[in-house]
Amino acid sequence: MQLVETIDEMRHVVADARTKGQSIAFVPTMGALHEGHLTLVDEAKRVAEVVVMSVFVNPLQFSPTEDFARYPRTLDEDARLAADRGVNFLFTPTKEDIYPEHAPVVYVHPGTVGKEWEGAVRPHHFEGVLTVVAKLFHIVMPDVAVFGQKDLQQVAAVKAMVRDLNFPVGILVAPIVRDPDGMAMSSRNRYLSPKERELGTILSKALFAMRDAFMRGERRASALEAIGWRMLERVVGLTPRYLAVVNADTFQRVNTVHHGDAAVGAVRVSDDSA
Ligand code: AMP
């Protein structure tokens, strides 16, 4: 695996692969890699000859009150894991290289896809995501890019951007990788105390209960949401942020649920004893 630290070097690498007629799959990440990220690499290797992974903690997608400064940065370990999994090029640009003017003048706006749910609790988050993904697509020029279903609203926003702005990139979506207790793997899970982790798994349980009720034949979104909400309400240390059944492409709430729709949710957990 080759480490690529600058945009110029990345462009050379891509040009070289293109002259050899090789196809390129791209896996963008913020690092602190875990099995969830690495399954995206497996997917990328299945469809292309060259796999480029980026590790870039994108300041644009963090609000001032979020964890940009303390977001886990574990580049040596990331490089080892990526190499072992078969990544060919690990692109690790600096924020000065990506944002030489500190912040861009032009942003990519997600429109209605990014308005509700995660977009409502994290204003400007999806603008930051789409802007950096657009930049990375222009630098890496992949044939396909792989994203995780864990961040389903991000997937919808990226697909909408690719469609509406005519990016010549195919988008592949890989399933959520969960820990044995049911919680989706995430770089941020390392912030959680054992108690907070236990509280967090209640969200997974609520989402699974909604899915199970759908499988048993319930088609009313309001009934499915009520099942989930009942499990989240009145739990000490847990504050629900949102829980809904949505169309997975538009991220608009649905009334009648169909196969392919998604239950999405977020909770805040706190452990006063920690
Ligand atoms: P991040 O480093 O959190 O920005 O994530 C980079 C990519 O990995 C995104 O496409 C995520 O959706 C994906 N990803 C992160 N965690 C998981 C997981 N547990 N299962 C599947 N994909 C994941």
Side-chain angles (χ1 to χ4, degrees):
M1 187 183 75
Q2 187 181 327
L3 268 180
V4 179
E5 293 180 346
T6 67
I7 294 175
D8 283 347
E9 197 187 343
M10 192 68 243
R11 289 199 190 282
H12 282 298
V13 165
V14 169
D16 190 45
R18 291 274 172 232
T19 52
K20 291 182 188 145
Q22 293 170 321
S23 54
I24 300 173
F26 178 43
V27 180
T29 80
M30 298 207 301
L33 299 181
H34 50 67
E35 190 56 29
H37 297 111
L38 297 171
T39 61
L40 306 187
V41 175
D42 298 341
E43 196 65 25
K45 288 189 78 64
R46 248 177 12 85
V47 297
E49 291 152 282
V50 173
V51 175
V52 177
M53 173 184 267
S54 62
V55 170
F56 179 65
V57 184
N58 174 34
L60 227 55
Q61 69 193 66
F62 289 77
S63 77
T65 58
E66 287 181 357
D67 55 343
F68 175 73
R70 71 176 187 125
Y71 195 84
R73 289 162 172 87
T74 56
L75 191 55
D76 292 344
E77 174 73 355
D78 290 350
R80 195 181 61 70
L81 290 169
D84 284 353
R85 206 57 168 244
V87 169
N88 302 100
F89 298 98
L90 187 66
F91 180 39
T92 60
T94 61
K95 67 178 193 305
E96 290 72 25
D97 205 9
I98 295 288
Y99 301 118
E101 306 299 330
H102 193 61
V105 173
V106 175
Y107 288 77
V108 182
H109 193 283
T112 52
V113 181
K115 194 163 183 292
E116 292 189 81
W117 324 117
E118 202 66 13
V121 297
R122 303 174 75 187
H124 306 297
H125 170 70
F126 288 118
E127 256 164 73
V129 169
L130 291 188
T131 302
V132 82
V133 170
K135 286 167 74 78
L136 292 169
F137 280 2
H138 286 134
I139 295 163
V140 177
M141 297 198 290
D143 298 285
V144 292
V146 191
F147 291 83
Q149 205 176 34
K150 176 177 79 78
D151 303 282
L152 194 64
Q153 194 169 6
Q154 170 172 282
V155 167
V158 168
K159 281 183 171 172
M161 175 183 82
V162 162
R163 181 195 64 218
D164 290 352
L165 302 184
N166 301 91
F167 278 80
V169 181
I171 302 299
L172 287 183
V173 183
I176 301 176
V177 178
R178 295 178 183 276
D179 277 317
D181 64 4
M183 193 186 276
M185 289 187 181
S186 164
S187 307
R188 287 184 167 108
N189 286 353
R190 65 188 72 194
Y191 298 156
L192 301 175
S193 72
K195 173 73 190 164
E196 287 165 342
R197 185 159 179 117
E198 206 184 304
L199 289 167
T201 61
I202 299 174
L203 174 62
S204 320
K205 293 192 180 95
L207 293 169
F208 285 131
M210 293 166 73
R211 184 195 60 188
D212 293 346
F214 173 78
M215 297 307 239
R216 285 194 304 271
E218 180 57 77
R219 292 292 179 270
R220 292 165 302 162
S222 55
L224 296 178
E225 287 160 356
I227 289 168
W229 276 113
R230 269 202 296 279
M231 296 171 67
L232 302 181
E233 274 162 359
R234 285 188 286 278
V235 180
V236 176
L238 186 152
T239 313
R241 307 298 299 276
Y242 60 87
L243 184 74
V245 185
V246 301
N247 177 294
D249 294 319
T250 63
F251 263 72
Q252 305 302 300
R253 188 180 172 277
V254 297
N255 286 320
T256 304
V257 188
H258 298 97
H259 282 279
D261 292 338
V264 294
V267 299
R268 202 167 257 294
V269 292
S270 63
D271 174 3
D272 289 336
S273 67

